[in-house]
């Protein structure tokens, strides 16, 4: 088909947004082109709340035909954590036909150059942004996030992370000029002179292996980093969270075609129930880049076995908060209660271990013993979630039976300081909603250590009694080094303790949040400013997003000619 969007038009439209993104990653200041508030949508072609819900409802029970080659079947068995059968079916691919078709468009995409690729990516994100309300329902009913979280984290925050990756990709590609004239003096002889041409060359086909809990937020960085650096991208969603990424692929293919590029540069790989195609795809010789979010076991397998590919993994860790002292006891408790409750703890950044001295802590309200701190935190969580409507809005739904099983088993690991309770959701009676459990453990007991030194993904936290802040810092160091951590938090009014914790995190490469008592939480990060993960400890081998996350997705190939 003839191009409906010229590169010149896209540059004129989206270059200002790209420039603002480049400035944001330079300054690390707050910036976002994607509105967080649902009422901001409904003008200039974007869907408002009613239209977005109607668009989602219209998808239920339909076949999502992406028009991609190699389709040999139609698959789909998603059931919402809120109890709704989605009934959407997706193309199942014969990869022996699909992968060659994806490679066919890479030459023109490579030759388009970094700026053209960047603005095409921005146009894709703009069209996704216009459908944020629709995407929010898709994320909600595949991940179990409550609607507002699905709207923000699955919509604007995910789009921000995608744009951030595009900005970093552009910076790394234009670091080297397209051409150079090289002259070397030879004294009395004529100088040596060469004309040199430098081209950013994609590695090949990139594979994005999606996760169940944050399909867009975790999927967009790798997808857009690879696409912006010239690679074709095959998206393999989690079988329980296909719809948000399938819609993403649909939008990307439409934009690519309208811009005059091969839509097969982006394709979907949905799977039959139990088929498990990730391992097969990951070791195909055509797959040269892999982005994965999920379990440590499979992340380790990818790193060991997908040897032909550059592998970027975000795996599991044991996130820790060290509690030594605070100048705002109520604020600390409130902040921690929210962090433990948000999305039922089903975030890779949720705190799990709270390290608290046996003898207690100093606060602005006087000293508090270990038992008092834990009891006060339990009351704070109870107060936060005491109203069922507010609890449902914060907790969402338990995403799968494994999380529910871990939650129920945690009560047998130690003394329960806060028991989990079941909450009904009147709008979705089939939803499984549970409040967090807090279990007290002794940091010196080997049996207790086996519990708190293992990741327990979900609404489970351990209050671990330690001898001192110094012992807590050493346990923190060992936890990061052996198990990894996506986030670390600390509360202290002691400058020496603060420096000790900071040094541990610098040496072990873990992202640290100090003395959060307001509306910023340890398990939330902002695109263009915060780094999600560091790539320097076992929880993840990459950071979202830095130069290292994009720079090895392409290589620079040089052609030299005599002048």
């Amino acid at each position: 088909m003839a191009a409906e969007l010229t590169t010149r038009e896209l540059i004129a439209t989206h270059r200002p947004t790209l420039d603002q993104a480049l400035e944001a990653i330079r300054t690390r200041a707050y910036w976002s082109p994607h509105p967080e508030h649902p009422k901001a949508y409904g003008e200039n072609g974007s869907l408002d709340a009613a239209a977005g819900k109607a668009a989602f409802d219209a998808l239920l029970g339909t076949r999502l035909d992406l028009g991609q080659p190699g389709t040999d079947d139609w698959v789909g068995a998603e059931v919402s954590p809120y109890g709704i059968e989605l009934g959407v079916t997706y193309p199942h691919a014969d990869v022996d036909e699909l992968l060659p078709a994806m490679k066919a468009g890479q030459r023109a995409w490579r030759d388009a150059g970094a700026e053209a690729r960047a603005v095409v990516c921005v146009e894709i994100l703009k069209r996704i942004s216009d459908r944020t309300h629709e995407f929010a329902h898709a994320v909600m009913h595949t991940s179990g996030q409550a609607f507002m979280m699905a709207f923000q984290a699955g919509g604007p925050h995910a789009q921000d992370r995608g744009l951030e990756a595009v900005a970093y990709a552009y910076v790394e590609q234009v670091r080297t000029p397209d051409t150079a004239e090289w002259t070397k003096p030879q004294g009395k002889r004529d100088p040596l002179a060469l004309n040199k041409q430098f081209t950013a060359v994609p590695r090949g086909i990139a594979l994005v292996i999606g996760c169940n809990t944050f399909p867009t937020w975790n999927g967009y960085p790798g997808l857009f980093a690879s696409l912006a650096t010239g690679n074709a991208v095959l998206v393999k969603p989690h079988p329980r969270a296909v719809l948000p990424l399938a819609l993403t692929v649909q939008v990307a293919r439409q934009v690519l075609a309208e811009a005059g590029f091969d839509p097969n540069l982006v394709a979907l790989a949905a799977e039959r129930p139990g088929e498990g195609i990730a391992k097969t795809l990951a070791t195909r010789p055509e797959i040269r880049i892999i982005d994965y979010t999920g379990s440590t076991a499979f992340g380790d397998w990818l790193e060991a076995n997908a040897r032909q590919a550059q592998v970027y993994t975000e795996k599991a860790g044991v996130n820790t908060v060290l509690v030594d002292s605070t100048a705002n006891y109520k604020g600390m408790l409130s902040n921690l209660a929210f962090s433990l409750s948000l999305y039922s703890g089903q975030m890779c950044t949720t705190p799990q271990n709270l390290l608290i001295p046996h003898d207690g802590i100093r606060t602005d309200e006087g000293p508090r013993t270990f038992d008092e701190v834990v009891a006060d935190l339990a009351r704070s969580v109870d107060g936060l979630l005491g109203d069922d409507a507010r609890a449902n809005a914060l907790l969402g739904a338990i995403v799968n039976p494994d999380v529910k099983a871990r939650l129920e088993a945690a009560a047998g690991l130690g003394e329960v300081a806060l028991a989990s309770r079941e909450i009904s959701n009147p709008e979705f009676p089939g939803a499984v909603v549970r409040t967090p459990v807090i279990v007290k453990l002794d940091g010196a007991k080997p049996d207790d250590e086996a519990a708190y030194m293992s990741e327990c993904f979900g609404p489970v936290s351990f209050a671990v009694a330690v001898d001192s802040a110094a012992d807590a810092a050493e346990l923190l160091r060992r936890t990061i080094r052996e198990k990894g951590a996506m986030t670390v938090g600390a509360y202290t009014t002691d400058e020496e303790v603060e420096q000790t914790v900071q040094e541990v995190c610098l040496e072990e490469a873990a992202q640290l949040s100090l003395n959060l008592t307001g509306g910023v939480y340890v398990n939330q990060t902002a695109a263009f400013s915060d780094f999600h993960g560091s790539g320097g400890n076992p929880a993840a081998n990459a950071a979202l997003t830095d130069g290292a996350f994009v720079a090895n997705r392409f290589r620079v190939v040089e052609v030299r000619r005599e002048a």
Side-chain angles (χ1 to χ4, degrees):
M1 63 179 290
E4 299 175 19
L5 299 168
T6 68
T7 299
R8 181 178 296 178
E9 290 170 340
L10 289 173
I11 291 173
T13 301
H14 295 308
R15 182 70 211 209
T17 300
L18 177 62
D19 287 340
Q20 286 180 290
L22 295 172
E23 179 67 6
I25 64 172
R26 185 188 71 81
T27 64
R28 316 309 294 181
Y30 171 77
W31 176 74
S32 171
H34 305 114
E36 285 186 311
H37 200 287
K39 291 183 179 179
Y41 297 82
E43 297 180 359
N44 301 317
S46 65
L47 300 181
D48 63 13
K53 178 63 163 59
F56 169 76
D57 289 341
L59 290 168
L60 301 180
T62 66
R63 175 178 288 182
L64 195 67
D65 190 347
L66 300 175
Q68 60 187 44
T71 299
D72 58 14
D73 196 3
W74 296 90
V75 297
E78 291 158 294
V79 177
S80 167
Y82 290 95
I84 298 172
E85 288 192 21
L86 302 190
V88 185
T89 56
Y90 310 94
H92 181 277
D94 176 350
V95 293
D96 289 327
E97 184 177 345
L98 179 60
L99 292 177
M102 295 183 71
K103 290 187 70 174
Q106 280 199 155
R107 179 175 178 177
W109 187 235
R110 176 200 71 198
D111 292 346
E115 185 179 41
R117 288 192 295 269
V119 294
V120 169
C121 287
V122 178
E123 174 68 17
I124 294 169
L125 287 163
K126 170 64 169 61
R127 294 198 190 180
I128 291 171
S129 177
D130 288 343
R131 296 168 62 180
T132 290
H133 275 281
E134 178 187 358
F135 271 74
H137 289 284
V139 171
M140 173 182 177
H141 286 290
T142 51
S143 70
Q145 294 176 32
F147 177 77
M148 186 53 72
M149 183 174 185
F151 183 93
Q152 293 184 336
H157 297 171
Q159 296 151 21
D160 283 350
R161 284 295 184 190
L163 180 56
E164 177 185 54
V166 172
Y168 272 101
Y170 180 79
V171 166
E172 293 301 326
Q173 289 173 98
V174 301
R175 188 181 302 279
T176 302
D178 293 336
T179 60
E181 295 180 0
W182 182 87
T183 303
K184 180 180 179 181
Q186 293 287 312
K188 294 181 179 180
R189 291 178 294 170
D190 291 338
L192 299 176
L194 295 175
N195 291 329
K196 302 185 180 185
Q197 175 185 329
F198 305 97
T199 303
V201 175
R203 282 188 172 271
I205 298 176
L207 174 65
V208 174
I209 303 176
C211 70
N212 194 174
T213 49
F214 288 89
T216 55
W217 199 99
N218 279 110
Y220 283 6
L223 192 166
F224 285 99
S226 289
L227 192 61
T229 49
N231 303 277
V233 183
L234 180 60
V235 179
K236 204 296 291 181
H238 191 284
R240 288 192 292 263
V242 183
L243 184 56
L245 290 178
L247 293 175
T248 301
V249 170
Q250 182 185 57
V251 174
R253 291 175 62 85
Q254 290 169 348
V255 171
L256 286 164
E258 290 178 25
F261 297 102
D262 191 334
N264 295 323
L265 287 165
V266 179
L268 185 76
E271 57 190 313
R272 300 183 182 97
E275 186 177 7
I277 62 174
K279 284 187 175 182
T280 302
L281 290 173
T283 52
R284 294 272 307 205
E286 303 96 328
I287 300 299
R288 303 304 301 276
I289 301 167
I290 297 173
D291 287 278
Y292 167 76
T293 299
S295 72
T296 297
F298 191 61
D300 289 345
W301 186 92
L302 287 170
E303 291 170 1
N305 291 279
R307 305 301 294 274
Q308 85 292 348
Q310 182 72 30
V311 179
Y312 300 90
T313 60
E314 182 194 306
K315 300 176 289 189
V318 176
N319 301 318
T320 300
V321 176
L322 187 155
V323 182
D324 166 68
S325 53
T326 178
N328 184 351
Y329 188 55
K330 284 186 173 65
M332 180 190 80
L333 294 173
S334 176
N335 192 280
L336 285 174
F338 188 93
S339 297
L340 299 180
S341 302
L342 184 62
Y343 185 32
S344 299
Q346 298 170 122
M347 304 171 69
C348 63
T349 50
T350 299
Q352 175 180 303
N353 294 345
L354 309 173
L355 309 185
I356 307 167
H358 279 290
D359 294 337
I361 68 171
R362 301 181 309 281
T363 83
D364 57 317
E365 300 181 11
R368 291 290 189 273
T369 66
F370 170 83
D371 288 334
E372 287 173 334
V373 173
V374 179
D376 290 343
L377 178 59
R379 278 190 290 272
S380 188
V381 173
D382 259 345
L384 178 67
L385 304 176
D387 176 76
D388 282 2
R390 182 168 61 177
N392 276 304
L394 282 175
L395 295 170
I398 298 296
V399 71
N400 63 52
D402 291 339
V403 174
K404 182 171 178 283
R406 282 193 293 270
L407 171 62
E408 292 171 346
L413 297 175
E415 181 185 344
V416 176
L418 176 65
S420 177
R421 66 184 180 90
E422 183 176 351
I423 294 178
S424 62
N425 187 318
E427 185 179 1
F428 300 105
V432 177
V433 185
R434 299 288 188 275
T435 63
V437 62
I438 300 177
V439 178
K440 291 198 289 189
L441 298 174
D442 188 331
K445 291 183 178 178
D447 289 346
D448 287 355
E449 181 175 313
Y452 67 73
M453 284 294 282
S454 300
E455 189 201 24
C456 193
F457 184 76
V460 177
S461 59
F462 300 111
V464 182
V466 294
D467 287 339
S468 65
D471 288 331
E474 284 309 305
L475 178 53
L476 170 64
R477 181 190 299 276
R478 184 160 64 89
T479 303
I480 300 170
R481 183 174 295 174
E482 295 179 9
K483 301 297 181 179
M486 294 299 294
T487 56
V488 173
Y491 290 90
T492 183
T493 58
D494 186 303
E495 185 176 343
E496 185 177 343
V497 172
E498 179 177 323
Q499 289 300 316
T500 298
V501 174
Q502 181 172 306
E503 191 60 30
V504 167
C505 290
L506 291 172
E507 291 178 357
E508 304 301 331
Q511 310 294 12
L512 172 63
S513 297
L514 284 165
N515 297 318
L516 298 183
T517 58
V520 175
Y521 304 95
V522 68
N523 41 348
Q524 296 175 320
T525 58
F528 307 109
S529 186
D530 295 322
F531 293 106
H532 176 74
S534 71
N537 69 66
N541 72 0
L544 304 180
T545 300
D546 60 8
F549 184 69
V550 299
N552 215 13
R553 295 172 190 262
F554 69 95
R555 308 310 299 159
V556 176
V557 175
E558 176 184 359
V559 177
R560 303 188 296 178
R561 298 178 177 88
E562 287 194 350

